[in-house]
Amino acid sequence: MVLPRIWAELIPAVAFFLLLLYSPLMCLGIRSFPNNDVLMSSDLNAIFGFSEAPDYRNGVDCPSVSASPPDPVTSCDPSLVHVAMTLDSEYLRGSMAAVHSVLRHASCPEQVFFHFIAAEFDSVSPRVLSRLVHSIFPSLNFKVYIFREDTVINLISSSIRSALENPLNYARNYLGDILDPCVNRVIYLDSDLVLVDDIIKLWEVKISEGRIIGAPEYCHANFTKYFNDNFWSDPALSRVFGSSNPCYFNTGVMVMDLGKWREGHFREKIENWMEVQRKKRIYELGSLPPFLLVFGGNVEPIDHRWNQHGLGGDNVAGSCRALHPGPVSLLHWSGKGKPWVRLDERKPCPLDHLWEPYDLYKGKVKVQHPERQEQQFGFFW
């Protein structure tokens, strides 16, 4: 039986829709670049204004990967260092600078595999973002996963800053479900940071038997301020920390044992606290407090040098901040202020110039003095 032409054309589209509808969580990945696509790499670079990054290669002492050109490296290669980041049009400039910084300082850049989580309904489609990443980093080992926002949208409550309500901020909760099952360890990085050290040093951090994640802890911070009176006045809720002495940690830089994460059903534990928040309003921030509730007091402490955070100021004013005392391996502009925005507005903070060498947006003009002119950064699609 020969199907009418219209049905022959519709069947693949219907099949793809059903796959999206019934697939568990987010299991769709994008990593192909057919030559007959409408937009080639040069077109994307022209539209988005990025330049191609230098081609960073392994040194002689680096382990060899299992794949051989032209075959792509798969995420199941045991020699790889896995890095997960979100990818969206709003923070694209920051994400590309972060990737650039990782490669630039890595002793074995070809061993780094990036897992990018892109929103299903971003103004720039995940497939276009995938091709753009390839055009900027042609030899990068990476995969783009489509994050189904309906997975978390009904669990998100209002926050002190609207940007914190973006569903993509909660993608880190689902890494155990999103990434390939063979990936049992990953470094999660925010998009507003740069590394100035070899990422393999962070990758090699040991996570103790009874712990799931590792992160720099800040025990001098006032932990109680991350939850409101509704939480602390409820004995059943405030008892969650028991006799432990929890410390604040920033979820923008974490080493995660995904094997233990999956076994312990930690995604469900985080979602349970988000349900409590929806009913009782126990905190004002976004995706951070559920992590504090689940892991507070049981985090593998990592040297503070791996998250010099807060460089974006607070969540309201975004004022300039200085570095914390001590050595630095990672600079993190958490908070309202972002270095690319302040540089474009010709109102940079002193530390924003440390981010600038990793910026691959070629439409920028270097800002050394406030009176110098600079083009305004923007996306056109």
Side-chain angles (χ1 to χ4, degrees):
M1 177 180 178
V2 179
L3 291 174
R5 181 177 177 182
I6 187 171
W7 285 107
E9 293 176 349
L10 281 175
I11 286 175
V14 172
F16 181 73
F17 173 78
L18 292 174
L19 178 62
L20 277 175
L21 186 63
Y22 294 106
S23 58
L25 292 175
M26 331 64 167
C27 58
L28 298 178
I30 301 171
R31 186 63 177 91
S32 61
F33 307 97
N35 292 327
N36 60 350
D37 273 14
V38 175
L39 288 175
M40 303 306 290
S41 296
S42 58
D43 299 317
L44 288 169
N45 282 345
I47 292 171
F48 287 89
F50 286 92
S51 59
E52 184 177 319
D55 191 17
Y56 296 101
R57 293 295 181 177
N58 283 354
V60 294
D61 296 327
C62 295
S64 58
V65 295
S66 58
S68 299
D71 296 329
V73 174
T74 69
S75 61
C76 293
D77 190 313
S79 69
L80 296 177
V81 173
H82 296 279
V83 178
M85 299 178 64
T86 58
L87 187 67
D88 69 331
S89 55
E90 183 177 0
Y91 281 82
L92 182 61
R93 189 171 172 184
S95 299
M96 296 302 94
V99 172
H100 187 200
S101 73
V102 170
L103 299 176
R104 183 169 175 175
H105 295 284
S107 55
C108 300
E110 293 177 79
Q111 308 307 126
V112 184
F113 193 103
F114 284 89
H115 302 265
F116 295 113
I117 318 302
E120 184 178 8
F121 300 113
D122 193 284
S123 59
V124 180
S125 75
R127 182 167 294 277
V128 172
L129 289 173
S130 181
R131 288 194 55 80
L132 179 60
V133 171
H134 179 66
S135 71
I136 299 172
F137 303 100
S139 59
L140 187 70
N141 300 317
F142 77 95
K143 186 175 181 179
V144 175
Y145 304 80
I146 300 175
F147 181 64
R148 294 181 56 181
E149 294 159 288
D150 60 345
T151 303
V152 72
I153 192 71
N154 292 326
L155 293 172
I156 299 175
S157 57
S158 60
S159 181
I160 192 173
R161 185 159 57 93
S162 59
L164 300 177
E165 300 168 21
N166 186 333
L168 209 54
N169 286 334
Y170 296 83
R172 73 196 87 188
N173 303 1
Y174 299 90
L175 291 179
D177 304 282
I178 297 173
L179 304 193
D180 297 324
C182 62
V183 179
N184 288 317
R185 183 182 176 92
V186 70
I187 297 172
Y188 176 81
L189 297 177
D190 271 351
S191 298
D192 53 357
L193 54 77
V194 293
L195 273 75
V196 292
D197 204 344
D198 191 348
I199 196 168
I200 192 65
K201 299 177 183 177
L202 182 58
W203 178 254
E204 292 176 343
V205 167
K206 305 296 183 185
I207 297 181
S208 304
E209 181 65 28
R211 290 171 173 164
I212 313 301
I213 64 172
E217 290 187 300
Y218 304 90
C219 296
H220 63 278
N222 182 5
F223 190 84
T224 61
K225 73 177 184 179
Y226 294 99
F227 305 95
N228 60 29
D229 290 340
N230 292 339
F231 176 81
W232 294 114
S233 63
D234 188 324
L237 295 178
S238 58
R239 200 181 299 129
V240 64
F241 298 114
S243 59
S244 65
N245 186 24
C247 297
Y248 162 77
F249 64 95
N250 180 279
T251 53
V253 180
M254 295 185 292
V255 180
M256 307 174 69
D257 187 323
L258 292 184
K260 296 178 186 176
W261 178 285
R262 296 179 183 114
E263 291 173 5
H265 304 286
F266 283 94
R267 183 253 296 173
E268 290 90 337
K269 293 177 181 179
I270 289 174
E271 287 181 332
N272 288 340
W273 279 112
M274 294 176 69
E275 292 277 11
V276 173
Q277 162 72 355
R278 293 279 290 178
K279 296 174 182 177
K280 297 189 176 182
R281 188 73 182 181
I282 58 176
Y283 53 80
E284 305 302 325
L285 288 173
S287 60
L288 169 64
F291 266 83
L292 297 179
L293 288 163
V294 173
F295 297 107
N298 195 32
V299 174
E300 187 70 34
I302 295 177
D303 194 297
H304 288 180
R305 68 187 303 151
W306 287 106
N307 196 353
Q308 285 272 348
H309 69 291
L311 303 185
D314 60 25
N315 281 307
V316 179
S319 54
C320 296
R321 294 264 181 94
L323 288 174
H324 307 294
V328 179
S329 292
L330 185 150
L331 299 160
H332 187 187
W333 280 262
S334 58
K336 183 179 180 180
K338 303 306 173 188
W340 57 92
V341 174
R342 296 193 294 215
L343 286 163
D344 284 350
E345 292 176 345
R346 295 184 292 128
K347 299 176 182 178
C349 294
L351 293 177
D352 294 345
H353 295 290
L354 299 178
W355 178 89
E356 196 172 11
Y358 305 99
D359 185 14
L360 292 169
Y361 177 69
K362 61 187 177 184
K364 68 184 183 305
V365 175
K366 287 187 177 296
V367 181
Q368 295 178 348
H369 304 286
E371 61 271 14
R372 292 190 62 176
Q373 296 294 318
E374 181 163 6
Q375 296 176 349
Q376 178 66 34
F377 172 74
F379 292 107
F380 303 93
W381 188 248

